[in-house]
Amino acid sequence: MGMNTLMSTDFNFPGQQSVYKGKVREVYTLENDILVMVATDRLSAFDVVMPKGIPYKGQILNQIATKMMKDTEDIVPNWLLATPDPNVAVGKACEPYKVEMVIRGYLSGHAAREYKAGKRMLCGVTMPEGMKENDKFPEPIITPATKAEKGDHDEDISKEDILKRGIVAPADYEVLEKYTRALFQRGTEIAAKRGLILVDTKYEFGKTKDGEIVLIDEIHTPDSSRYFYADGYAERQERGEAQKQLSKEFVRQWLISNGFQGLEGQTVPEMSDDYITSVSNRYIELYENITGESFVKSDISQLQERIYKNILAYLSK
């Protein structure tokens, strides 16, 4: 498949000070506290980056995230200034908090695995007895994770530990919690309009040079969130069936069924071109379901050049 994917970038912009390469995004820091964030087509699962990229994935994630930022900026300020290219977001440089604010409305994923193992406490929060996987919590619970260095797994942490270890100042943490609940509430309302349930998600925050706490990174994307289809949810719970999911869980399941869970000594299974195309199509379907808009494929014939030109044009303004 001669499909052009963006696996990495090596740009040099005027006033560039540093570049950070995350699992999926590459972040260029320029003078005047400007950040240029490029969403690549890399796919990460079990904290491992897959050898092949997924066509349009970067565009999809970037466009969902920037749309959701615009749809929540009235309740929580964010870092975003502009989107000069389908794969690019430009915004204010921030000092990121070293925690991910994970919030869960349902007993799913990691929480369900912990629950099955007999645990009733997650990140210092009590989970009620007698729940089945994918049941709704009485109230959404916040279960933070520490931001891992590259290659390490994020770790669960309680609010008490965050404060005790001085990872976040108490007054700031109150704001993070308040913003997390407000965003999840709004995300839940947006999802409901599209016939979806926002199951769980994570938010990341930073502080600007002016001391303002803002939302950073991506929000409400299939990489950072789990969605169920609302239609038939209750019936499936009643019958004890798996829920119809809208997340990258389908990739994780495929990897598990092919003997890979990111553990020591395991190798990533070969992904055929057909499989890659099917993942790309699933991501497009995710985009259309989450945003309620049809996806417009950008011209990817000269992907690197297009992105570079668009960023330069924006910076020269």
Side-chain angles (χ1 to χ4, degrees):
M1 182 173 84
M3 291 211 68
N4 210 354
T5 57
L6 186 67
M7 285 306 280
S8 76
T9 64
D10 193 17
F11 298 139
N12 212 329
F13 300 112
Q16 184 166 313
Q17 293 174 337
S18 65
V19 57
Y20 166 79
K21 305 204 167 189
K23 284 182 205 125
V24 172
R25 286 185 175 64
E26 312 204 328
V27 185
Y28 293 84
T29 304
L30 314 187
E31 58 198 6
N32 302 326
D33 302 320
I34 295 291
L35 279 194
V36 175
M37 197 184 275
V38 182
T40 70
D41 295 322
R42 295 196 295 262
L43 173 64
S44 123
F46 298 115
D47 287 329
V48 176
V49 173
M50 303 292 120
K52 289 183 182 171
I54 306 301
Y56 303 108
K57 177 176 175 283
Q59 177 188 347
I60 287 166
L61 289 193
N62 187 55
Q63 290 186 331
I64 294 174
T66 51
K67 183 178 164 51
M68 292 290 181
M69 291 254 172
K70 293 196 170 79
D71 289 348
T72 56
E73 65 188 5
D74 59 314
I75 51 171
V76 175
N78 64 58
W79 76 290
L80 193 64
L81 294 170
T83 48
D85 180 274
N87 285 62
V88 177
V90 176
K92 302 181 283 251
C94 303
E95 182 60 46
Y97 289 96
K98 297 222 166 17
V99 290
E100 290 183 349
M101 297 299 284
V102 180
I103 181 165
R104 305 171 182 280
Y106 295 73
L107 180 66
S108 200
H110 172 62
R113 289 189 284 274
E114 295 285 281
Y115 199 90
K116 249 189 201 117
K119 295 186 189 156
R120 292 296 177 267
M121 282 282 273
L122 188 61
C123 304
V125 183
T126 308
M127 299 185 283
E129 283 296 337
M131 289 184 75
K132 303 204 303 282
E133 183 168 356
N134 300 331
D135 276 354
K136 188 175 184 177
F137 285 117
E139 282 289 301
I141 64 171
I142 293 180
T143 59
T146 55
K147 290 277 295 153
E149 292 305 310
K150 208 169 164 182
D152 288 340
H153 293 270
D154 297 342
E155 286 184 18
D156 290 343
I157 189 169
S158 67
K159 173 181 179 172
E160 290 67 35
D161 275 349
I162 290 170
L163 299 178
K164 196 164 77 200
R165 285 161 53 182
I167 298 172
V168 180
D172 286 6
Y173 193 80
E174 293 308 316
V175 176
L176 301 191
E177 269 197 342
K178 189 183 87 182
Y179 281 172
T180 297
R181 291 195 188 281
L183 287 165
F184 191 68
Q185 177 61 38
R186 176 67 59 84
T188 298
E189 290 160 11
I190 294 171
K193 287 196 189 93
R194 319 259 188 260
L196 299 173
I197 293 168
L198 180 57
V199 178
D200 53 43
T201 190
K202 70 179 172 80
Y203 303 114
E204 298 188 39
F205 297 93
K207 203 174 224 180
T208 64
K209 290 283 186 290
D210 307 330
E212 185 185 26
I213 296 176
V214 296
L215 176 63
I216 61 172
D217 203 47
E218 58 173 11
I219 69 161
H220 300 159
T221 68
D223 273 25
S224 66
S225 320
R226 192 189 314 265
Y227 290 93
F228 291 154
Y229 289 93
D231 188 35
Y233 164 81
E235 292 73 16
R236 285 189 285 273
Q237 279 307 86
E238 197 58 39
R239 294 194 295 260
E241 291 172 10
Q243 285 300 334
K244 250 186 97 178
Q245 287 211 26
L246 198 68
S247 74
K248 64 173 183 182
E249 186 63 32
F250 69 94
V251 176
R252 292 190 202 102
Q253 294 304 335
W254 182 85
L255 289 168
I256 290 171
S257 68
N258 283 277
F260 183 80
Q261 286 187 62
L263 304 174
E264 207 68 28
Q266 296 182 336
T267 43
V268 177
E270 178 63 31
M271 292 185 173
S272 68
D273 288 350
D274 283 352
Y275 181 70
I276 297 276
T277 303
S278 76
V279 175
S280 182
N281 290 336
R282 281 293 288 276
Y283 265 95
I284 290 170
E285 182 194 333
L286 294 174
Y287 175 92
E288 297 187 335
N289 278 301
I290 292 169
T291 63
E293 295 168 6
S294 37
F295 180 68
V296 181
K297 292 179 174 179
S298 61
D299 178 359
I300 58 172
S301 55
Q302 306 270 309
L303 203 42
Q304 298 263 358
E305 294 84 346
R306 182 202 84 198
I307 291 171
Y308 187 58
K309 280 214 301 255
N310 283 338
I311 295 171
L312 281 184
Y314 170 79
L315 293 175
S316 68
K317 284 212 285 288

